[in-house]
């Protein structure tokens, strides 16, 4: 049979090694009255493990033999020093691979946060022992997070497990529980109020700050982080477009500029063949090095300051620009399909938060107006009532 139980002890009479009798202990072959009392070692296909009691050593050895017979034996499960299947070791390797793959900095930051929290929970636990029940128990520890954040954590873990199982045929993909995401709503504002805030930003903030917020309010297919990541080289005025390299979807895209915005950009000093950030600080800003890129929250801070100057305190940058612009264009008559295509959304559920329903459309239904009654007629009647 494979493997055996051994000891460093020797017979005190003849000095020979003790032998396993296969039943209840290790004895001297020549002097059966002498038994090994401690320091039992199991040696099995490169595995060495020590036990104080013979019974525990015997159970361990029999377990290994059973795994071999059932074709379930994996030597890595018993490599205590290297622990190649420890969750924390595999997670560390995966993060290094993600970094080498050139994942976007903001995405890598989130992935690290998700994985490090899971490492704090599972540590050196063998990944084979982490079942669907274990994953469900882990989700319960994320109760301090929103449903969207919990969903993001699970998405990261799914990616990690797909990588692990793709690299090793002996590992199985566990079943991940479904997390129902409750999407939030942002407060929006009218186009006129949006323009008032933009005018205030132009009065109090650096020129490029106003330009950045103006672009967010106009081109609703770009996010603040994506816009702030552009360099001077990414602006192609001859083609009237801006190349957005870093996107949430991982695929580059173009921002096709209006003539008025091309004219605004042409007023700036030309910088040729430069990879420096377009949105960077000028001189005279306390605590900020000249030429340093705008921080992640820089446009948001100026938006909130300008809005506060106007007495508006409950509308953030995202809601006041991207969401508000989409809803304004909806009221101008653009269809959901047109706006979703222009926004770059791939799922209708996500876009619904932006588009919503036209208040006038809903009022017409509440008033019992039929579809034959034009919206224009209804709007005119509503305006007359308002004037009265």
């Amino acid at each position: 049979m494979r493997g055996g139980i051994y000891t460093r002890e020797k017979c005190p009479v003849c000095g020979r090694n003790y032998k396993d009798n296969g039943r209840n202990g290790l004895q001297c072959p020549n002097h059966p009255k002498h038994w090994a009392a401690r320091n039992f070692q199991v040696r099995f296909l490169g595995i060495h493990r020590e036990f104080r009691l013979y019974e525990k050593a015997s159970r361990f050895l029999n377990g290994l033999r059973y795994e071999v017979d059932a074709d379930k034996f994996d030597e890595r499960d018993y490599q205590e020093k290297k622990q190649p299947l420890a969750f924390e070791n595999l997670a560390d390797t995966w993060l290094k691979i993600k970094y080498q793959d050139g994942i976007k900095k903001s995405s890598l930051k989130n992935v690290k946060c998700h994985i490090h929290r899971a490492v704090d929970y599972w540590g050196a636990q063998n990944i084979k022992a982490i079942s669907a029940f274990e994953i469900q128990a882990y989700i319960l520890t994320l109760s301090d997070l929103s449903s969207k954040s919990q969903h993001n954590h699970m998405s990261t873990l799914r990616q990690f497990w797909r990588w692990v199982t793709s690299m090793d045929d002996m590992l199985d993909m566990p079943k991940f529980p479904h997390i129902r995401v409750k999407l939030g709503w942002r407060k929006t504002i009218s186009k006129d109020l949006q323009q008032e805030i933009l005018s205030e930003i132009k009065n109090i903030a650096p020129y490029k700050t106003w330009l950045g917020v103006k672009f967010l309010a106009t081109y609703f297919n770009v996010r603040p982080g994506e816009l702030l990541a552009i360099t001077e080289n990414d602006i192609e005025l001859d083609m009237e477009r801006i190349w957005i390299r870093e996107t949430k979807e991982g695929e580059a895209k173009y921002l096709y500029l209006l003539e008025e915005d091309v004219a605004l950009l042409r007023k700036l000093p030309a910088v040729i063949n430069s990879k420096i950030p377009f949105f960077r600080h000028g001189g005279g800003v306390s605590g900020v090095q000249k030429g340093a890129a705008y921080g992640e929250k820089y446009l948001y801070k100026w938006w909130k300051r300008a809005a506060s100057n106007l007495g508006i305190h409950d509308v953030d940058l995202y809601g006041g620009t991207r969401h508000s612009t989409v809803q304004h264009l909806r009221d101008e008559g653009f269809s959901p399909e047109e706006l979703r295509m222009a926004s770059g959304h791939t799922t209708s559920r996500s876009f619904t938060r932006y588009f919503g329903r036209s208040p006038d459309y809903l009022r017409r239904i509440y008033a019992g107006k039929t579809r034959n009654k034009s919206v224009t007629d209804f709007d005119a009647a509503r305006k007359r009532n308002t004037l009265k």
Side-chain angles (χ1 to χ4, degrees):
M1 297 180 71
R2 291 189 182 90
I5 302 176
Y6 307 89
T7 181
R8 298 188 186 91
E9 295 183 53
K10 298 180 182 295
C11 177
V13 178
C14 63
R16 293 192 61 179
N17 294 328
Y18 288 119
K19 300 292 184 180
D20 184 9
N21 62 18
R23 300 187 307 276
N24 55 1
L26 274 65
Q27 300 172 282
C28 175
N30 298 329
H31 304 89
K33 293 184 179 181
H34 290 278
W35 297 66
R38 58 186 180 276
N39 298 328
F40 299 99
Q41 300 178 1
V42 173
R43 300 177 186 175
F44 184 89
L45 298 178
I47 298 172
H48 296 158
R49 191 73 62 86
E50 294 190 2
F51 298 87
R52 291 182 58 192
L53 300 177
Y54 173 85
E55 290 78 8
K56 289 187 176 181
S58 179
R59 285 197 297 269
F60 180 72
L61 177 60
N62 289 334
L64 295 177
R65 289 169 175 168
Y66 168 77
E67 288 185 2
V68 171
D69 292 339
D71 199 24
K72 296 181 179 179
F73 178 74
D74 189 344
E75 183 179 344
R76 296 171 300 175
D77 292 337
Y78 304 98
Q79 295 177 3
E80 292 183 317
K81 293 183 178 180
K82 295 182 179 180
Q83 293 183 300
L85 295 181
F87 181 88
E88 60 184 0
N89 293 339
L90 290 170
D92 181 63
T93 301
W94 185 65
L95 286 177
K96 291 178 180 177
I97 293 173
K98 298 294 283 186
Y99 178 78
Q100 292 176 353
D101 287 344
I103 183 175
K104 194 169 62 172
K105 289 184 179 179
S106 59
S107 299
L108 182 61
K109 179 181 177 181
N110 293 331
V111 167
K112 281 184 175 180
C113 175
H114 301 161
I115 287 296
H116 287 164
R117 183 155 180 168
V119 167
D120 290 341
Y121 183 80
W122 281 305
Q125 184 171 342
N126 190 315
I127 196 170
K128 288 183 176 180
I130 302 177
S131 64
F133 293 105
E134 289 257 3
I135 296 173
Q136 182 69 71
Y138 172 66
I139 293 176
L140 297 178
T141 69
L142 305 178
S143 58
D144 57 309
L145 304 177
S146 67
S147 60
K148 182 64 165 64
S149 295
Q150 292 180 27
H151 181 271
N152 292 340
H153 272 258
M154 287 300 102
S155 295
T156 298
L157 288 179
R158 280 194 189 91
Q159 292 180 38
F160 164 71
W161 248 282
R162 288 193 191 101
W163 169 77
V164 171
T165 54
S166 69
M167 300 296 291
D168 195 321
D169 293 337
M170 298 187 69
L171 300 178
D172 296 323
M173 182 80 176
K175 184 178 180 181
F176 281 78
H178 174 71
I179 297 178
R180 183 177 177 82
V181 177
K182 299 178 181 177
L183 298 176
W185 291 82
R186 295 177 187 267
K187 186 168 182 179
T188 57
I189 54 179
S190 67
K191 188 67 174 179
D192 291 339
L193 192 53
Q194 183 189 77
Q195 293 303 311
E196 287 185 35
I197 297 176
L198 278 170
S199 296
E200 180 65 14
I201 293 176
K202 190 175 184 179
N203 292 333
I204 64 175
Y207 179 77
K208 283 190 177 180
T209 301
W210 166 76
L211 196 61
V213 178
K214 181 182 185 301
F215 282 3
L216 292 177
T218 304
Y219 309 105
F220 52 91
N221 66 324
V222 67
R223 300 175 178 87
E226 297 171 348
L227 184 64
L228 290 178
I230 67 172
T231 67
E232 292 282 357
N233 274 355
D234 295 330
I235 301 176
E236 304 172 356
L237 291 182
D238 58 329
M239 301 294 292
E240 299 184 347
R241 66 188 185 186
I242 297 176
W243 190 11
I244 307 297
R245 298 172 183 265
E246 298 185 11
T247 67
K248 181 179 179 180
E249 298 78 15
E251 297 181 1
K253 60 187 177 185
Y254 281 112
L255 209 64
Y256 295 100
L257 302 171
L258 302 176
E259 289 185 7
E260 61 184 74
D261 292 328
V262 173
L264 292 173
L265 290 171
R266 291 192 186 279
K267 294 179 180 179
L268 297 171
V271 181
I272 303 174
N273 296 328
S274 177
K275 295 183 179 180
I276 62 175
F278 174 78
F279 291 101
R280 60 187 184 277
H281 293 283
V285 181
S286 177
V288 179
Q289 183 178 358
K290 182 179 180 180
Y294 282 7
E296 183 181 357
K297 299 291 185 180
Y298 193 71
L299 298 183
Y300 173 85
K301 291 178 180 178
W302 279 107
W303 170 272
K304 294 294 288 186
R305 184 181 302 180
S308 179
N309 290 349
L310 298 175
I312 304 168
H313 304 284
D314 54 353
V315 179
D316 63 11
L317 175 65
Y318 220 79
T321 55
R322 194 177 189 186
H323 286 228
S324 296
T325 296
V326 169
Q327 294 196 9
H328 167 72
L329 294 174
R330 172 204 64 193
D331 294 337
E332 290 296 310
F334 289 94
S335 69
E337 291 75 18
E338 290 174 319
L339 294 175
R340 185 155 71 94
M341 179 273 296
S343 70
H345 278 86
T346 55
T347 60
S348 57
R349 186 188 179 200
S350 177
F351 181 72
T352 299
R353 290 188 300 157
Y354 292 75
F355 186 77
R357 285 292 185 186
S358 168
D360 290 339
Y361 175 79
L362 295 174
R363 290 189 185 102
R364 180 164 61 84
I365 295 175
Y366 298 150
K369 304 294 183 180
T370 65
R371 293 187 177 182
N372 295 329
K373 185 75 171 179
S374 70
V375 177
T376 304
D377 292 342
F378 176 75
D379 289 344
R382 185 169 63 86
K383 291 178 180 179
R384 286 196 298 272
N385 292 334
T386 302
L387 291 175
K388 291 179 183 179

